[in-house]
Amino acid sequence: MTIPSSAGFFPASSCLPCTPEEEKEIILELIKASDVNLKEGDVFYLISSRWWRSWREYVRLDEYDGLSSSSEQSEGCIPLRPGEIDNMVLILNVMNRDGGISDIQRNLLEGTDYDLVPEEVWKKLLEWYNGGPEIPRKLISDGLNGKNFVVEVYPLCLCLVDGRDNSQRGIRISRKATVGKLYEIVCSVLQLDPSKVIIWDYYNKNKGSMITKLDQTLDEVALHMDQEILLEIKPDELWPSSSEIVSTGNELALVPIEPSRTSVAIAGGRALSNGHAAGFGSYLLHGNSYSSSLGDIENVESISTNGGKVDGIGLTGLHNLGNTCFMNSAIQCLVHTPPLVEFFLQDYSEEINEQNPLGMQGELAIAFGELLRKLWRSGRSSVAPREFKGKLARFAPQFSGYNQHDSQELLAFLLDGLHEDLNRVKSKPYIEAKDANGHPDGEFADECWGNHKARNDSVIVDICQGQYKSTLVCPICNKVSVTFDPFMYLSLPLPSTITRQMTITVFSSDGSALPMPYTVTVLKNGRCKDLIQALSIACCLRSSESLLVAEVHDHRIYRYMENMLESLSTIKDEDHIVAYRLPSNHCELPQIQIFHRSVEKCSTQFRYNSHQELLGAPLVLCLTENCNSGADVHAAVRAALTPLLRSKTQCLHHQAKGSKDNDYRPSLDGVTLTDNSVLSSGSDTSPTDMEIDSISNVFPTFQLVLTNDSGVSGLTIDDDKDFLVEGKSIKVYLDWSHREHDLYDSSYLDHLPGVYNSGNQKTGQEAVSLFSCMDAFLKEEPLGPDDMWYCPTCKEHRQATKKLDLWRLPEILVVHLKRFSYSRYMKNKLDTFVNFPVHNLDLNKYLKHKPCPTESESYVYELYAISNHYGGLGGGHYSAYAKLIGEDSWYHFDDSHVSPVNEDSIKTSAAYVLFYQRSK
């Protein structure tokens, strides 16, 4: 018989709608159509990242998108079709399954926990796979020009306090809804006369301004996640008539409020804004636009100490407005930067550049300056930076909404934005970038710095910008390109020294060895190729073999780890990882995936359980190129199971144990098992070659049943019929009855250890020095395949080598420790402890440009602030350490709480961004 594909032999009622390639083409077309016709109000759906990732692998969508390395990824190995869509991991509770708003977990990260797909894509996936629940979210317009869009994953949550009885209700509403819409729905639900209702800004239970401008959006009145608003009833003459309240069509849900709880900060990662996605197409654009109409509200709050109180300027905390600890941490570091404090506490109005098209018309610099002055006022108050957050969201939509973000990315934006708002250059001249072309480094570096200062001249450039030398060398023609570029901060990689032990079970596809667990040691943040290399050595892999690594869940292959560059951080300790020893050309051969199924037999008739139970680890083996019959398939399966054969004595013993409840009696060498006396003969050693032949001749075939990705049974593979596979892979059930259990020891398949078991020892975390990070940053290395350099001599893109050198160092040196890494599958955080100097950071040896003998500058630095990140990507928190100007005392700034801290305690593995000032 001819088997056209893994699905072609199934009846018309099969749940497989089309091939993986067809699914991919359909989804891509739907994504393209959505991208072209984007408009406000379009609906997108959240989908579990785990499921979405498995579907992308199934249809090889990442290969289409260029996300995988074709040079290092195996070809032709088909992953399993995913099961039902499972979004329950995202849900806190479902308010209304018929189209209402699903309340999702607050600590979700896009690209890690969820992805966003257009409505038509969701409908098609739901048609093919079923599952759910549905989590729809609307597209809203953002940005200064209103042309950018963002999916509002987290609508605004407000606490409505009824001033009549102090009862509270939760409101979930779009932040783009108008104040008029808020009044309309509140009055409708509470059955109030709109002419008698007034809503107040009641942030932190302090009565602020009346919310009266009905055409403003809730963003524009600076309402924030989880804050309170106050409802009061006033006489008619104090409020506009109800005819002024108009509907805008935005959804609003009014529900009983949950017990108050502290907001949980969510770790950021790279540009994880409220609702943007790392999918396909520009429908996932950043954006948000609003300007605050309210000033910062200050609330008197004691600054905690160890049993006492702190009173003094520069010790003011910042309220968390809803996952804004990343912003608070960055701000505290900047407002404790001595030159910036000196600048913004004086009259800087003459420095404002309102005409710079690259700036924010001076609004960002003014908002930052006002916030800095409030933080440096004397007293014991903490400040709610609401106006500043409004300006930030208006000019940097990626930081809008209520998700956590990356403090370093915010710092980069703030420093650049402040520079452009304070740029003394009113009209920037055009200067063409060029290569050194043999000019002396010193002369060319000065020329490049002069060109940079001709376009960029501000207090930020004066104190924060340095210059590095970049050298590129073509590997073909040895062309050398030298450029000198400015920098605002140094992003240093963390050399990996942390290792991890992983236990992987290796299966032999040709039956040459028993399944064997191997424990190997690899770098904790290594790559899949590192694991395969270590396993190859441990299992003595032959030169004619290669390893195919897979993750197993519920007795099925969940996914193949084909991408050699995939980070091992995607593998959890509790996961089950296996490796199959296959011919080195296995991707060119037809493959069989074997799933073991427990069934009941009576004589030669099969009686299937109503619940077909899978058992053991699946097997993968290759067929030879000349395989053309069912007998060939059976022979390959028998060979793979040969190591599991019991000896004759073991076989008799196992059958005797199970004979009491079963009339079935196999015979070996013509002897029927009826007497336990046979147990005394023979040995319990592995079967001999003669015994293997004897036992195999009793039952030469298995019951092999073709199946598909959904587990639907198909045709039986008969050993006396022709068999031809069209395609690269088929999937079969191997049915285990009493007969198979008597002949084979399936325990080798059942006991699959996790990656980490109690016998493994995890290595401790090793520290690295800041200098080793600097060495890693400055070392020569080849460019990545996605970052090729165009060689002007070869006239082609080349994978050149790149070398960086420090040339000029600024007064304020910002050092970013690259703790967050990003891969095809997930984002990861490195918790490596970096041993950094607090005093006397000497960088003279790293400076390529040596000052003239008459110059007395020394590049030794003192630490004055740290932005910290605690926890992982799924639920972390930011805080800051800062040294008070004019004192030698350190303080911990944890949102609104400020407390003194010993200098010995500030060096932790949470250090993320370091701030140094050059010694005088």
Side-chain angles (χ1 to χ4, degrees):
M1 63 180 175
T2 299
I3 307 300
S5 70
S6 61
F9 54 82
F10 294 103
S13 60
S14 171
C15 62
L16 284 177
C18 45
T19 66
E21 182 64 27
E22 289 170 338
E23 286 191 21
K24 178 175 71 174
E25 291 177 0
I26 291 171
I27 294 301
L28 286 175
E29 286 301 318
L30 292 175
I31 288 174
K32 290 177 182 177
S34 172
D35 192 21
V36 170
N37 300 311
L38 277 183
K39 62 183 180 301
E40 188 170 10
D42 285 353
V43 177
F44 283 71
Y45 284 78
L46 275 71
I47 192 168
S48 164
S49 287
R50 185 184 182 99
W51 190 93
W52 179 241
R53 186 165 53 241
S54 65
W55 181 84
R56 292 200 320 260
E57 293 172 3
Y58 169 63
V59 302
R60 299 191 179 278
L61 187 54
D62 289 343
E63 293 180 10
Y64 171 91
D65 200 47
L67 299 179
S68 59
S69 174
S70 58
S71 62
E72 302 214 39
Q73 185 169 357
S74 302
E75 296 291 339
C77 301
I78 302 176
L80 290 174
R81 188 174 191 266
E84 287 189 348
I85 301 171
D86 182 11
N87 278 345
M88 288 306 300
V89 293
L90 310 178
I91 297 295
L92 184 62
N93 59 69
V94 180
M95 297 174 57
N96 183 353
R97 290 183 180 268
D98 298 323
I101 299 177
S102 299
D103 195 3
I104 61 175
Q105 303 280 352
R106 283 289 183 90
N107 61 342
L108 300 180
L109 292 176
E110 190 209 340
T112 299
D113 300 306
Y114 71 88
D115 286 275
L116 291 164
V117 296
E119 183 175 18
E120 293 305 317
V121 170
W122 169 261
K123 288 180 178 179
K124 184 58 67 176
L125 292 174
L126 196 63
E127 174 189 332
W128 290 337
Y129 292 92
N130 298 319
E134 296 185 347
I135 311 176
R137 292 294 186 266
K138 286 190 175 182
L139 196 70
I140 59 176
S141 62
D142 270 334
L144 290 175
N145 55 14
K147 296 181 180 180
N148 293 335
F149 296 100
V150 63
V151 178
E152 191 174 30
V153 174
Y154 287 98
L156 184 62
C157 295
L158 301 172
C159 175
L160 177 66
V161 180
D162 193 329
R164 298 171 296 177
D165 56 8
N166 286 328
S167 62
Q168 298 181 6
R169 290 177 174 83
I171 297 179
R172 190 168 289 104
I173 184 173
S174 171
R175 55 191 171 90
K176 288 299 182 181
T178 64
V179 171
K181 183 64 176 178
L182 177 62
Y183 273 93
E184 177 186 343
I185 302 301
V186 169
C187 293
S188 174
V189 173
L190 298 181
Q191 298 182 348
L192 298 174
D193 182 354
S195 65
K196 296 183 179 181
V197 170
I198 292 181
I199 296 178
W200 293 79
D201 186 326
Y202 201 45
Y203 178 79
N204 207 29
K205 297 293 180 68
N206 288 288
K207 198 171 182 179
S209 304
M210 283 194 301
I211 305 175
T212 59
K213 296 182 179 179
L214 302 184
D215 58 345
Q216 280 191 320
T217 67
L218 302 183
D219 255 354
E220 291 171 336
V221 295
L223 295 182
H224 295 287
M225 182 69 82
D226 296 327
Q227 81 155 77
E228 298 88 354
I229 55 176
L230 178 64
L231 170 68
E232 286 189 346
I233 307 299
K234 291 292 183 180
D236 294 345
E237 62 271 14
L238 295 182
W239 189 240
S241 67
S242 59
S243 62
E244 297 181 61
I245 301 179
V246 295
S247 172
T248 61
N250 296 81
E251 287 187 13
L252 178 145
L254 193 61
V255 296
I257 195 166
E258 300 174 6
S260 61
R261 59 183 184 272
T262 303
S263 297
V264 178
I266 308 165
R270 187 166 52 182
L272 297 175
S273 66
N274 179 21
H276 89 279
F280 312 94
S282 60
Y283 60 87
L284 304 166
L285 297 176
H286 300 265
N288 182 20
S289 168
Y290 63 83
S291 59
S292 175
S293 60
L294 300 177
D296 292 346
I297 300 174
E298 296 187 17
N299 301 289
V300 178
E301 189 170 300
S302 295
I303 303 175
S304 61
T305 66
N306 295 326
K309 293 188 184 288
V310 175
D311 188 8
I313 59 174
L315 297 176
T316 305
L318 288 165
H319 286 191
N320 191 317
L321 304 178
N323 289 332
T324 56
C325 58
F326 77 99
M327 181 182 75
N328 295 345
S329 173
I331 289 174
Q332 291 290 6
C333 292
L334 290 181
V335 301
H336 286 85
T337 298
L340 289 181
V341 174
E342 180 181 357
F343 178 84
F344 282 103
L345 288 182
Q346 66 182 4
D347 182 7
Y348 58 92
S349 58
E350 294 297 323
E351 300 277 335
I352 296 294
N353 187 339
E354 297 180 355
Q355 285 75 44
N356 187 355
L358 298 179
M360 273 80 42
Q361 294 77 52
E363 292 186 38
L364 184 66
I366 293 172
F368 178 80
E370 290 177 352
L371 180 57
L372 182 145
R373 293 185 178 201
K374 290 179 180 179
L375 293 174
W376 278 90
R377 288 177 186 166
S378 179
R380 295 191 298 269
S381 63
S382 57
V383 172
R386 302 171 66 193
E387 184 173 356
F388 179 78
K389 185 180 185 299
K391 296 291 185 183
L392 180 66
R394 180 185 176 198
F395 295 112
Q398 64 268 31
F399 299 114
S400 64
Y402 309 103
N403 274 10
Q404 185 69 281
H405 299 275
D406 190 314
S407 69
Q408 184 272 332
E409 292 188 355
L410 175 65
L411 282 165
F413 168 79
L414 283 179
L415 289 174
D416 186 63
L418 291 174
H419 154 65
E420 296 294 357
D421 269 6
L422 300 170
N423 198 346
R424 303 177 186 111
V425 178
K426 306 303 180 182
S427 178
K428 293 187 177 184
Y430 172 76
I431 301 175
E432 184 177 359
K434 57 183 179 180
D435 189 271
N437 287 326
H439 286 78
D441 283 351
E443 294 180 9
F444 187 62
D446 289 342
E447 180 185 347
C448 291
W449 187 250
N451 292 340
H452 175 66
K453 289 294 293 287
R455 294 172 52 84
N456 302 277
D457 184 17
S458 70
V459 63
I460 303 299
V461 175
D462 294 343
I463 65 175
C464 294
Q465 288 195 355
Q467 187 184 38
Y468 62 79
K469 173 186 176 183
S470 175
T471 305
L472 291 169
V473 180
C474 177
I476 304 301
C477 69
N478 293 320
K479 161 69 177 175
V480 178
S481 171
V482 175
T483 59
F484 288 86
D485 303 296
F487 68 84
M488 191 88 74
Y489 52 87
L490 299 178
S491 287
L492 305 186
L494 274 59
S496 179
T497 61
I498 307 171
T499 58
R500 165 191 193 187
Q501 287 188 331
M502 302 179 69
T503 298
I504 313 295
T505 302
V506 178
F507 292 87
S508 175
S509 65
D510 61 1
S512 60
L514 282 167
M516 183 67 64
Y518 292 91
T519 299
V520 295
T521 301
V522 293
L523 288 173
K524 180 181 177 182
N525 296 291
R527 304 292 180 180
C528 183
K529 63 180 181 180
D530 302 322
L531 174 62
I532 290 178
Q533 182 179 7
L535 274 178
S536 301
I537 296 172
C539 71
C540 300
L541 194 72
R542 296 188 289 266
S543 59
S544 60
E545 295 178 312
S546 62
L547 289 177
L548 178 62
V549 180
E551 182 178 349
V552 174
H553 285 300
D554 297 328
H555 311 290
R556 293 183 179 275
I557 296 174
Y558 173 68
R559 67 184 178 103
Y560 288 120
M561 298 180 61
E562 301 175 89
N563 184 359
M564 297 295 102
L565 297 180
E566 178 182 345
S567 173
L568 296 180
S569 60
T570 63
I571 302 176
K572 305 297 189 297
D573 287 346
E574 63 272 14
D575 288 344
H576 298 284
I577 306 297
V578 299
Y580 301 102
R581 298 179 68 148
L582 301 174
S584 56
N585 64 336
H586 66 89
C587 286
E588 302 172 5
L589 301 174
Q591 293 182 13
I592 301 180
Q593 297 178 18
I594 302 173
F595 307 106
H596 308 282
R597 182 170 62 175
S598 177
V599 299
E600 297 176 358
K601 290 184 182 179
C602 182
S603 184
T604 59
Q605 300 297 318
F606 282 82
R607 191 169 64 246
Y608 289 96
N609 297 324
S610 59
H611 174 69
Q612 296 176 4
E613 178 185 357
L614 294 182
L615 56 88
L619 299 178
V620 176
L621 54 93
C622 292
L623 298 174
T624 60
E625 294 178 346
N626 57 359
C627 174
N628 54 23
S629 69
D632 293 332
V633 177
H634 281 265
V637 174
R638 277 202 308 275
L641 292 178
T642 296
L644 308 185
L645 273 172
R646 303 178 189 273
S647 67
K648 182 180 294 185
T649 301
Q650 291 171 330
C651 185
L652 297 174
H653 176 69
H654 187 270
Q655 173 56 36
K657 289 176 63 179
S659 63
K660 295 180 180 180
D661 301 322
N662 196 336
D663 294 334
Y664 169 66
R665 299 287 189 274
S667 61
L668 299 177
D669 297 337
V671 179
T672 302
L673 303 183
T674 58
D675 197 311
N676 288 347
S677 63
V678 297
L679 298 178
S680 60
S681 62
S683 66
D684 291 335
T685 60
S686 298
T688 64
D689 291 340
M690 183 177 299
E691 287 178 323
I692 290 175
D693 292 337
S694 175
I695 296 173
S696 298
N697 289 332
V698 178
F699 301 109
T701 62
F702 299 96
Q703 182 81 358
L704 298 177
V705 182
L706 287 165
T707 182
N708 66 354
D709 296 325
S710 299
V712 177
S713 297
L715 303 176
T716 300
I717 301 178
D718 298 323
D719 62 341
D720 57 350
K721 294 183 179 179
D722 292 339
F723 183 87
L724 180 63
V725 178
E726 291 184 2
K728 292 295 185 180
S729 177
I730 63 171
K731 302 173 177 64
V732 301
Y733 283 134
L734 192 161
D735 290 331
W736 286 75
S737 68
H738 296 294
R739 181 186 71 175
E740 283 74 28
H741 284 294
D742 290 341
L743 298 178
Y744 296 93
D745 187 352
S746 62
S747 64
Y748 291 102
L749 302 174
D750 292 332
H751 304 301
L752 194 63
V755 168
Y756 171 75
N757 57 56
S758 57
N760 292 358
Q761 291 185 353
K762 289 188 176 180
T763 59
Q765 179 171 284
E766 297 182 27
V768 298
S769 71
L770 186 62
F771 297 106
S772 64
C773 297
M774 186 72 75
D775 292 336
F777 173 70
L778 297 175
K779 74 176 181 180
E780 184 179 42
E781 59 183 2
L783 296 175
D786 297 327
D787 191 25
M788 306 281 273
W789 171 65
Y790 183 79
C791 175
T793 302
C794 297
K795 306 296 183 183
E796 290 186 24
H797 285 88
R798 302 294 190 191
Q799 194 170 1
T801 58
K802 184 175 184 178
K803 175 72 171 70
L804 296 178
D805 293 294
L806 299 180
W807 194 263
R808 277 182 173 85
L809 289 174
E811 177 186 353
I812 299 298
L813 180 64
V814 181
V815 178
H816 166 223
L817 303 177
K818 297 175 69 174
R819 295 196 177 277
F820 299 109
S821 62
Y822 307 89
S823 72
R824 170 185 171 187
Y825 292 97
M826 68 176 296
K827 304 170 182 68
N828 180 55
K829 184 194 174 185
L830 304 177
D831 291 316
T832 306
F833 175 78
V834 178
N835 188 7
F836 51 87
V838 177
H839 304 286
N840 301 318
L841 171 63
D842 190 347
L843 297 180
N844 282 288
K845 66 176 181 179
Y846 292 104
L847 198 64
K848 283 295 181 180
H849 169 59
K850 302 301 181 184
C852 299
T854 56
E855 298 180 13
S856 59
E857 277 189 311
S858 178
Y859 294 92
V860 178
Y861 289 82
E862 294 287 308
L863 185 73
Y864 70 87
I866 307 171
S867 176
N868 299 304
H869 180 269
Y870 302 90
L873 282 170
H877 179 62
Y878 285 93
S879 72
Y881 291 129
K883 186 164 67 173
L884 199 61
I885 298 175
E887 296 184 12
D888 197 23
S889 303
W890 284 86
Y891 293 87
H892 186 208
F893 295 83
D894 187 1
D895 289 332
S896 59
H897 305 287
V898 182
S899 57
V901 62
N902 293 327
E903 184 178 290
D904 296 338
S905 304
I906 64 173
K907 295 170 67 171
T908 71
S909 60
Y912 182 41
V913 185
L914 309 175
F915 292 76
Y916 284 94
Q917 183 177 22
R918 193 168 63 213
S919 302
K920 300 298 183 183

